[in-house]
C-alpha cells in the first residue's frame, strides 16, 4: 500500500473522530476498510458493525378512529453504537400487503438508508467536509417514535427502516378501523356504474351503514387534492339492508349511476355509519372511506407510420389488456371521419371483403391489429383529416382515433 494511500486513510479516520455530536465509532470499525487498489478511482468504504436491534409496538393493531398513531420502540441489543435514521417515522418506508405482494405506500427504500454525513472529499487539498443528519443509538439504549397511520387504508402493513446502512428491519402491524371497507373486486373499469364493497363491523354491537349513493361522498384526486363530485341525476330509491352484526362482514353494491360514467383516475368513497350502543348512553357514529382506481379495461394506441404510396396505408393499433379476463376482439376496421363535431361512417368499396378479423388478448398482454385501408376504402378520397377505427371488444365498441396527413409521405399518427 502506498504512502499516499495510507495518508488519505489517516485523514479520513481523523476527520471522523473529531466530528462533534457523533458517538465515537469503535476502532475495529473505523480502522477497517475495503479498498480495491487496482481501481484508479478507488473509494474508501468503512465497514461498520452490524449491530442487533429489536423493534416492537405498543399495539400491533391500530384503530385510527381511536388513535392516529402507531407507537413503537427500537432497542439496541448490541454492545456497539448503531447508526439509525432520526426520526425513524420520517425516514422509513411503509408497505401494504396486497394481492400483488408488498406495495410501498409511504416513503422509499432508498430514503430509509441512514447516512450520517454528506461527505465531500478534495484529495488534492486534503479537505473533508461533514454534514450530520442522522445519529447513533448507544449500546443497550432504546428509541421511541410514532408513525401517523390516519391516512392508511385498512389492511396489513410493514414499516421498514435500516440500521448501519445495510441492516433492514421490519415492524409488522395492522390498521383496522371500527368500520372498515375494502373493494370486493380488485379493479374498477370505466363504464362501470357500481362499486362492490366488503364492509366489516369490528365493534361488539350492531352497526348501521348509510350507503345511499346520493348521501355518500365521492371525491376524485386531481392536481394534488381531492375534489368532491356532485350527483348528475337522482339514483332513485335505494333499498338495502345496511345493518351489520358484530364482527361480521357484509357485501354491498353501491349504485354510482347518479354520478354518470366515472373517467379513469383515483377516487375515494366515504359513507357514514352509526350504532345504538346498549352499553353506552350515547350512540357511536363515524365515517368510513375506501379508495379505488378507475382504469380502462384496455389501452389502445395507433402506431405512427409513413408510406410513399397511398395504396399502402395501413392502420396498426397496439392494444393492451388491463383487465383480469381475456379480451375478444372481432369484426374490427370500420372507419369514421370527423366533420365539425360529428363522426360519419366512411363508405367502403363496392367489392370490399367483410370485416371478419378475430383476436384474443390474455390479461396483461399486448397485441397489434392491422387494417389495410386499401382493402376496404377508396383511400384516394380520404384526404387530410381526423379518423377513428371502431374496435368491438367483448360486445362493446371502442374507438381508436388517428390523424391522416399527406405531404411528401402519407402519414398516420
Amino acid at each position: 500500500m502506498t504512502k499516499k494511500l495510507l495518508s488519505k486513510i489517516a485523514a479520513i479516520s481523523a476527520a471522523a473522530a473529531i466530528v462533534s455530536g457523533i458517538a465515537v465509532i469503535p476502532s475495529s470499525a473505523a480502522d477497517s476498510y475495503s479498498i480495491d487498489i487496482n481501481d484508479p478511482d478507488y473509494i474508501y468504504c468503512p465497514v461498520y458493525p452490524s449491530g442487533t436491534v429489536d423493534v416492537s409496538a405498543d399495539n400491533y393493531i391500530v384503530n385510527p378512529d381511536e388513535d392516529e398513531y402507531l407507537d413503537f420502540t427500537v432497542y439496541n441489543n448490541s454492545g456497539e453504537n448503531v447508526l439509525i435514521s432520526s426520526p425513524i417515522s420520517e425516514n422509513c418506508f411503509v408497505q401494504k400487503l396486497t394481492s400483488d405482494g408488498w406495495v410501498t405506500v409511504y416513503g422509499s427504500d432508498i430514503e430509509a438508508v441512514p447516512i450520517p454525513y454528506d461527505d465531500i472529499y478534495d484529495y488534492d487539498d486534503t479537505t473533508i467536509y461533514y454534514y450530520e443528519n442522522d445519529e447513533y443509538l448507544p449500546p443497550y439504549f432504546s428509541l421511541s417514535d410514532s408513525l401517523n397511520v390516519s391516512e392508511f387504508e385498512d389492511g396489513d402493513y410493514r414499516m421498514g427502516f435500516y440500521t448501519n446502512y445495510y441492516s433492514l428491519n421490519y415492524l409488522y402491524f395492522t390498521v383496522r378501523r371500527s368500520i372498515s371497507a375494502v373493494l370486493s373486486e380488485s379493479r374498477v373499469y370505466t363504464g362501470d356504474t357500481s362499486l362492490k364493497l366488503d364492509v366489516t363491523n369490528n365493534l361488539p354491537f350492531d352497526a348501521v351503514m348509510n350507503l345511499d349513493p346520493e348521501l355518500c361522498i365521492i371525491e376524485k384526486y386531481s392536481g394534488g387534492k381531492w375534489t368532491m363530485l356532485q350527483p348528475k341525476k337522482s339514483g332513485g330509491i335505494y333499498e338495502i339492508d345496511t345493518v351489520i352484526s358484530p364482527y361480521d362482514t357484509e357485501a354491498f353494491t353501491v349504485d354510482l349511476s347518479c354520478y354518470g360514467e366515472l373517467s379513469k383516475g383515483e377516487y375515494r368513497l366515504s359513507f357514514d355509519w352509526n350504532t345504538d350502543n346498549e352499553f353506552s348512553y350515547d350512540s357511536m357514529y363515524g365515517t368510513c372511506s375506501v379508495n379505488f382506481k378507475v382504469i380502462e379495461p384496455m389501452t389502445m394506441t395507433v402506431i405512427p407510420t409513413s408510406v410513399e404510396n397511398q395504396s399502402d396505408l395501413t392502420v396498426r393499433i397496439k392494444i393492451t389488456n388491463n383487465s383480469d379476463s381475456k379480451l375478444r376482439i372481432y369484426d374490427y376496421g370500420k372507419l369514421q371521419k370527423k366533420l365539425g363535431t360529428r363522426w360519419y361512417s366512411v363508405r367502403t368499396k363496392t367489392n370490399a371483403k367483410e370485416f371478419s378479423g378475430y383476436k384474443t388478448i390474455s390479461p396483461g398482454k399486448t397485441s397489434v391489429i392491422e387494417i389495410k385501408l386499401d382493402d376496404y376504402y377508396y383511400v384516394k378520397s380520404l384526404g387530410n383529416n381526423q379518423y377513428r377505427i371502431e374496435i368491438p371488444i367483448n360486445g362493446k365498441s371502442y374507438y381508436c382515433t388517428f390523424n391522416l396527413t399527406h405531404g411528401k409521405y402519407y402519414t398516420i399518427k
Side-chain angles (χ1 to χ4, degrees), residues 165-399:
Y165 303 118
Y166 52 82
S167 297
L168 179 57
N169 307 272
Y170 284 116
L171 172 62
Y172 292 82
F173 64 96
T174 298
V175 175
R176 183 183 300 162
R177 291 170 172 78
S178 301
I179 304 296
S180 58
V182 295
L183 294 178
S184 302
E185 299 179 354
S186 60
R187 305 186 184 191
V188 180
Y189 302 112
T190 54
D192 290 347
T193 57
S194 60
L195 188 66
K196 296 181 179 180
L197 304 174
D198 289 330
V199 183
T200 302
N201 177 10
N202 298 310
L203 298 170
F205 29 77
D206 289 347
V208 181
M209 307 297 111
N210 187 355
L211 285 167
D212 186 324
E214 294 188 39
L215 298 180
C216 294
I217 295 177
I218 299 289
E219 299 168 284
K220 183 175 183 180
Y221 190 76
S222 179
K225 62 180 181 179
W226 291 99
T227 303
M228 187 169 65
L229 305 182
Q230 298 297 329
K232 297 181 178 179
K233 60 180 180 179
S234 174
I237 299 175
Y238 191 70
E239 298 180 356
I240 191 169
D241 184 5
T242 60
V243 178
I244 305 181
S245 302
Y247 308 114
D248 199 6
T249 299
E250 296 285 347
F252 295 95
T253 299
V254 183
D255 184 4
L256 301 178
S257 59
C258 60
Y259 291 92
E261 182 175 322
L262 299 181
S263 59
K264 64 180 181 179
E266 295 185 37
Y267 292 84
R268 180 168 62 192
L269 168 73
S270 302
F271 60 90
D272 294 333
W273 58 267
N274 64 81
T275 177
D276 292 325
N277 183 1
E278 63 184 52
F279 305 104
S280 174
Y281 292 106
D282 299 320
S283 296
M284 295 181 63
Y285 59 91
T287 299
C288 182
S289 299
V290 59
N291 292 0
F292 61 98
K293 183 177 293 186
V294 176
I295 64 174
E296 299 280 359
M298 87 295 295
T299 53
M300 298 188 298
T301 56
V302 66
I303 300 175
T305 182
S306 294
V307 294
E308 187 173 354
N309 298 318
Q310 192 174 36
S311 59
D312 294 331
L313 282 172
T314 300
V315 180
R316 295 179 176 86
I317 299 173
K318 182 170 65 175
I319 304 176
T320 300
N321 184 356
N322 301 322
S323 71
D324 299 319
S325 58
K326 184 177 294 185
L327 296 182
R328 293 175 173 82
I329 308 171
Y330 54 89
D331 297 347
Y332 51 85
K334 294 179 181 179
L335 185 66
Q336 293 184 349
K337 182 177 184 178
K338 190 173 186 179
L339 298 175
T341 59
R342 301 184 62 180
W343 291 95
Y344 296 89
S345 297
V346 177
R347 184 168 62 90
T348 59
K349 289 180 177 179
T350 305
N351 60 344
K353 57 186 178 181
E354 295 181 358
F355 293 105
S356 57
Y358 181 80
K359 186 181 289 289
T360 60
I361 306 177
S362 299
K365 300 298 183 180
T366 298
S367 187
V368 175
I369 62 173
E370 295 185 352
I371 303 98
K372 193 173 186 309
L373 296 181
D374 193 49
D375 287 345
Y376 299 93
Y377 304 100
Y378 300 100
V379 293
K380 291 183 180 180
S381 63
L382 292 181
N384 295 348
N385 212 88
Q386 188 176 31
Y387 297 86
R388 68 180 187 182
I389 292 286
E390 180 184 359
I391 305 174
I393 301 178
N394 292 356
K396 182 178 179 180
S397 289
Y398 296 86
Y399 296 90

Side-chain angles (χ1 to χ4, degrees), residues 53-60 70-77 88 142-146 159 161 169-173:
V53 300
D54 290 331
V55 56
S56 63
D58 293 355
N59 189 349
Y60 293 93
L70 169 72
D71 298 318
F72 62 92
T73 302
V74 178
Y75 302 88
N76 179 3
N77 295 323
I88 298 174
S142 64
L143 174 66
S144 296
D145 200 354
S146 297
M159 180 189 73
F161 64 96
N169 307 272
Y170 284 116
L171 172 62
Y172 292 82
F173 64 96

